[in-house]
Amino acid sequence: MADDQPLVLSERDAGTLILRLNRPDRLNAVSWALDEALAQALRAAGPDESVRAVVITGEGRAFSAGGDIRDQAARKDWTVVERHERSAAMLDHVQVIWDFPKPLIAAMNGVAAGAGAGLALLCDIRIGTPDTRVGFPFGRVGLGPDWGVSYTLPRVIGPGHAARLLFTAGYVEAEEALRLGLIDQIVPAEELLDAVKALCAEIAERAPLGVRLAKEGLRRSALLDLPAVLRTEFLGQQMAMSTEDHQQAAAAFAEKRPISFHGR
């Protein structure tokens, strides 16, 4: 890929923002610069009311093959200060993805391994193809998990399955990934983006605040007990009930007519 090509390609489809990891010659391997470009794109999309959902996918034949070994090799020359500053920035990039307030869908076109699998697990929904492979090969290169995998993986597939995959540095094919919950749906490769766009269009038909409150509730539920979750839901509902979206939707429901939400 030419040096002047952006590391993340961006395109719009109505209210859907599609972000493509753009290192196809490296199977979209994750570098520090790619982390930063993706985080910047999400920081810009968060407050943009015209963006209702974001899709992350890979250019070429892979979602992301994981951390870039060449990028990692260069780190041996970093000073202690550089290592600390770069590591802090990478952690911030991961947090930006996890905290993104709108639906985030991974369109997994091919392999998602290591940091690539970690990126997919930070998304709310993962849709793959028959060619999708998900792997956690950290132990094959003498490393432990990163990108929050120790947190997200057991919450998605359970601690036993997570331990097996991390201890063995294992890969799973699409059907097994679907059974475990690593991906939520398998569609033909040629239909992947159409399927994801259709899902995003359906999400865009719902009240933006309601969707956002649902995402916040799901994110927090792993950290809170039931009383705290109930209080969080109650406060969110009180906020939503005061919005024009809710009032118009309630009237439309009573009158049995459709309604469109516009991001208020």
Side-chain angles (χ1 to χ4, degrees):
M1 188 186 77
D3 291 339
D4 60 348
Q5 290 294 310
L7 292 171
V8 174
L9 301 175
S10 175
E11 64 181 273
R12 291 289 296 268
D13 182 78
T16 300
L17 175 65
I18 301 171
L19 300 176
R20 293 179 184 270
L21 310 181
N22 188 34
R23 302 186 74 206
D25 55 320
R26 300 291 296 163
L27 297 181
N28 300 314
V30 175
S31 65
W32 184 91
L34 179 61
D35 293 352
E36 175 63 21
L38 181 59
Q40 286 181 353
L42 291 174
R43 287 189 187 103
D48 185 344
E49 292 188 357
S50 68
V51 174
R52 304 292 291 277
V54 173
V55 175
I56 298 177
T57 191
E59 185 71 5
R61 61 189 179 91
F63 180 76
S64 172
D68 191 329
I69 297 300
R70 291 191 304 192
D71 185 62
Q72 293 170 359
R75 299 176 193 179
K76 69 182 187 325
D77 299 323
W78 289 356
T79 67
V80 172
V81 172
E82 286 176 317
R83 192 174 297 276
H84 175 76
E85 290 178 347
R86 292 291 186 97
S87 297
M90 188 274 286
L91 297 178
D92 179 64
H93 301 160
V94 173
Q95 195 70 52
V96 167
I97 300 167
W98 179 254
D99 290 340
F100 187 67
K102 299 172 183 178
L104 198 55
I105 294 94
M108 299 168 67
N109 56 313
V111 68
L119 170 58
L121 287 167
L122 292 169
C123 295
D124 302 296
I125 301 169
R126 293 166 294 281
I127 300 179
T129 75
D131 298 325
T132 298
R133 298 179 74 228
V134 187
F136 302 89
F138 304 103
R140 301 184 186 206
V141 291
L143 296 174
D146 61 4
W147 270 71
V149 166
S150 302
Y151 179 87
T152 56
L153 185 60
R155 285 166 173 77
V156 169
I157 67 173
H161 289 306
R164 173 174 60 86
L165 288 175
L166 290 176
F167 295 169
T168 63
Y171 281 77
V172 292
E173 305 298 328
E175 290 294 339
E176 177 69 0
L178 179 66
R179 186 185 71 81
L180 290 173
L182 284 168
I183 56 179
D184 304 300
Q185 183 182 1
I186 297 173
V187 299
E190 65 275 14
E191 298 176 13
L192 178 59
L193 277 185
D194 285 342
V196 173
K197 289 177 182 178
L199 173 62
C200 291
E202 185 175 359
I203 291 171
E205 293 176 357
R206 312 305 171 215
L209 179 59
V211 173
R212 181 166 182 161
L213 290 172
K215 176 162 182 171
E216 288 181 0
L218 290 170
R219 282 287 192 256
R220 293 181 179 183
S221 65
L223 305 175
L224 303 175
D225 58 17
L226 179 59
V229 169
L230 290 172
R231 179 168 179 78
T232 298
E233 290 180 342
F234 173 78
L235 293 174
Q237 290 291 62
Q238 298 309 303
M239 182 192 308
M241 286 179 180
S242 67
T243 65
E244 185 180 347
D245 272 348
H246 169 68
Q247 292 162 12
Q248 290 194 0
F253 180 82
E255 297 165 11
K256 296 182 171 57
R257 57 177 173 81
I259 183 173
S260 296
F261 297 102
H262 301 289
R264 288 180 295 275

